[in-house]
Amino acid sequence: MNRTSLFSRPAWAAIVAGVVVLAALPLLNLIFADGHPLHVPSYMVSLIGKFMCYALAALALDMVWGYAGILSLGHGVFFALGAYAHGMYLMRAIGREGVYQSDLPDFMVFLDWKAYPWYWSGTDSFWVSLALVVLVPGVLAFVFGYFAFRSRIKGVYFSIITQAMTYAFMLLFFRNNTGFGGNNGFTDFKRILGFPIAAPGTKAALYLVTLATLAGALLLCRWIVTSKLGRVLQAVRDSESRLMFIGYNPLWFKLFVWTLSAVLCGIAGALYVPQVGIINPSEMSPANSIEMVIWAAVGGRGTLLGPVIGAFSVNGLKSWFTGAFPDLWLFALGLIFILVTRYLPRGLAGLMRKEQA
């Protein structure tokens, strides 16, 4: 395999086959009636759609951790902010179909709010909401990253402050007076772009948009990491001081990949919320950010495709395990992380490459 190609021919074949199979699932759900051997249940379409959102978040994390050596334990906040930005539009699209039949969301009526706060301005527009999905995580990441990277904060210290950041945002969003629904967050969505959000056709469209976004993000990230920029990012990871010695300023390279990663994570959150039907502050919990790290580690960081595989594998196992042994999942997750770190340091992707060799 050519070093600059990143993916081998079997990997490309697997990617294409995977996209075709995933694209077929919602079509099988729509075409064949319930009870038909080829029918795919609606819950399975929603579940795989959620997994693809997680895979996009894992891919975003791999860009900063796998290629720039920046371990973030706070990517959950970018995921949640993207979800909240889109959720604001979805809440306003409910109109007067809420419990209180008001122009305001039910939680605002319950708290005796008389009008939307200023930061909800324009969120009745899908396109404004889409811009916020990109801008809110992107601006936060840029500002946070600028001061952190300029101060030469890295390693475990950077990881700790990213975890502190997501925890602080979680506590902020739990407050009722912030105007984001408090503990309950946003839920009970009715429509998106005028289409009923619970309709099978709408769910299929959201699913296919998520698949296209994941595939597009994978190609974008591959293009970046195989370019000169990608080689500089890997130099930042391997020896930042040597890179500075030969005349590069790592600040802007780190800031670029950090901001890009946050934006991709925000897009993942925006695609997640209409398919799952709820967003609340628990998505910002440090545990969720740590799970993203585990997805990337299990799949194989620094491979792009590995974190996608890891997100599907870990969350597929979680869906089964939490149903069969709900109290033991966290122990199983910890054990998986230990075993992968000890016996599969390059993750599932590394194991696949070894088998091909």
Side-chain angles (χ1 to χ4, degrees), residues 86-98 124 126 187-199 202 206 274:
H86 192 193
M88 293 164 78
Y89 161 76
L90 295 174
M91 290 299 290
R92 297 194 70 159
I94 295 173
R96 289 182 168 268
E97 295 181 37
D124 56 337
F126 174 79
T187 188
D188 196 30
F189 308 127
K190 304 295 185 185
R191 62 181 62 83
I192 179 170
L193 292 173
F195 297 97
I197 205 165
T202 307
L206 288 168

Side-chain angles (χ1 to χ4, degrees), residues 254-270:
K254 293 165 73 173
L255 196 56
F256 166 77
V257 73
W258 171 253
T259 305
L260 172 65
S261 178
V263 169
L264 289 176
C265 220
I267 293 171

